[in-house]
Amino acid sequence: MAMLKTEMPSSQHLQLDQYPVPELVAALVDDQFDAVQAVRNAAPRIARAVEAAVPRIEAGGRLIYVGAGTSGRLGVLDSVELYPTFSWPHERAVALLAGGESAMFVAVEGAEDDHEQGARDLDGVRPTANDVVLALAASGATPYVLGALAAARAAGALTIGIANNTGSPVAEGAEIGITLDTGSEIISGSTRLKAGTSQKIVLNTLSSAIMVRLHKVYGNLMVDLKPTNAKLFARAVRLTVHATGADEARARAVLEQCGFHVKVAIVALQRQVPVQQAGKLLEQAQGSVRGALGA
């Protein structure tokens, strides 16, 4: 661990504890720019991961996130947000966290060191060749994650390893490795900082790009959201108005006819057809609004 960049003390800000608050805050914020650059450098690998993942997800596969500590919690966060954002089924976004669900809120000491438990947890969700497993570890050497990674590969799933140290077992052991070389943390070893930020950006990018390719987005509009509260119902109306030019009353009326399915409402309004026919057009176009409008 002493040789890992993420564990080495930074050569910058050696008097961090003595900074005035404005300078302290500026240093912590500015350090995050390295996270963005690390992701930019890894963009070709991220693109390759998206291209490899989409056919498997289209064939019915799941996104399975595996991690420990901050990395694991980021995986949980990404998996949970796919349902309200893209109407992605809960059962097709699975998150495995070292130490179990309770580790989301309270650190479970030693859980990340259990290689066998990682393999058991992954096997427990019955991975298939269509699944896409995202293995996350800042160090790139977390035993729990490596155990899950080995089980995923044995099952034939697509494995994507995301780590913050070059030449890491997680990145090297996955079919597609994404290395985010964020270097030393401004607070030595605290990978919840820029290492965590870089992983969050990658997860946002991966899952969002996959959902775009699955026709969950029309233009840059979130047209397959699942309204579950007042804010999201209002957003569904605004999106429909924006996409079609209909007034709010007309948009809301059509949305109510189709259970607030924005895609269906857009096609119904644009094609001037009943919502049932709009739904069939979308089905024929594999869920693509553009395809349904051009049919």
Side-chain angles (χ1 to χ4, degrees):
M1 296 291 286
M3 298 300 293
L4 299 178
K5 283 186 179 180
T6 53
E7 295 296 322
M8 293 175 64
S10 174
S11 60
Q12 301 180 32
H13 306 292
L14 301 181
Q15 306 301 321
L16 186 72
D17 62 332
Q18 297 182 45
Y19 285 3
V21 169
E23 189 176 347
L24 173 61
V25 170
L28 288 165
V29 170
D30 289 349
D31 196 55
Q32 296 291 306
F33 284 100
D34 289 342
V36 177
Q37 189 57 53
V39 177
R40 281 178 171 164
N41 293 341
R45 304 292 292 177
I46 299 169
R48 182 182 167 197
V50 171
E51 290 168 348
V54 168
R56 302 207 189 201
I57 299 300
E58 285 179 327
R62 299 168 293 174
L63 289 168
I64 302 175
Y65 304 75
V66 184
T70 297
S71 298
R73 295 183 188 101
L74 289 171
V76 172
L77 180 63
D78 202 68
S79 72
V80 168
E81 292 181 342
L82 294 181
Y83 176 76
T85 308
F86 301 111
S87 296
W88 191 246
H90 293 296
E91 64 273 15
R92 294 186 66 190
V94 178
L96 302 178
L97 176 61
E101 290 185 9
S102 63
M104 188 70 191
F105 306 101
V106 179
V108 178
E109 301 302 332
E112 68 178 58
D113 297 328
D114 197 333
H115 186 282
E116 290 73 20
Q117 188 62 51
R120 284 194 295 270
D121 286 354
L122 198 287
D123 283 335
V125 299
R126 298 183 179 182
T128 72
N130 285 330
D131 289 332
V132 177
V133 176
L134 304 169
L136 298 135
S139 70
T142 305
Y144 177 88
V145 177
L146 290 172
L149 185 61
R153 295 212 66 164
L158 173 66
T159 51
I160 300 170
I162 302 168
N164 293 84
N165 285 288
T166 58
S168 72
V170 164
E172 296 291 330
E175 187 172 337
I176 299 173
I178 298 172
T179 299
L180 307 168
D181 189 6
T182 45
S184 301
E185 296 286 359
I186 189 170
I187 298 176
S188 302
S190 182
T191 51
R192 61 181 286 272
L193 297 175
K194 61 185 173 185
T197 298
S198 69
Q199 290 183 4
K200 180 69 169 81
I201 297 171
V202 169
L203 289 176
N204 279 346
T205 303
L206 276 169
S207 60
S208 297
I210 290 169
M211 294 299 150
V212 170
R213 283 290 170 263
L214 295 177
H215 309 304
K216 301 287 187 178
V217 174
Y218 172 51
N220 64 351
L221 303 180
M222 183 198 306
V223 294
D224 214 5
L225 79 163
K226 182 68 68 176
T228 55
N229 57 44
K231 177 187 74 174
L232 295 180
F233 278 105
R235 182 180 296 167
V237 174
R238 288 196 303 273
L239 289 168
T240 304
V241 168
H242 184 85
T244 66
D247 61 42
E248 184 174 330
R250 177 61 176 152
R252 182 177 293 276
V254 175
L255 282 165
E256 288 174 349
Q257 292 172 27
C258 62
F260 273 78
H261 191 168
V262 175
K263 278 186 174 185
V264 175
I266 290 172
V267 174
L269 287 163
Q270 292 285 70
R271 293 291 300 269
Q272 297 185 1
V273 297
V275 294
Q276 293 84 358
Q277 186 178 345
K280 290 179 181 178
L281 288 170
L282 277 166
E283 186 177 348
Q284 292 166 3
Q286 288 77 51
S288 168
V289 172
R290 289 191 187 279
L293 292 178

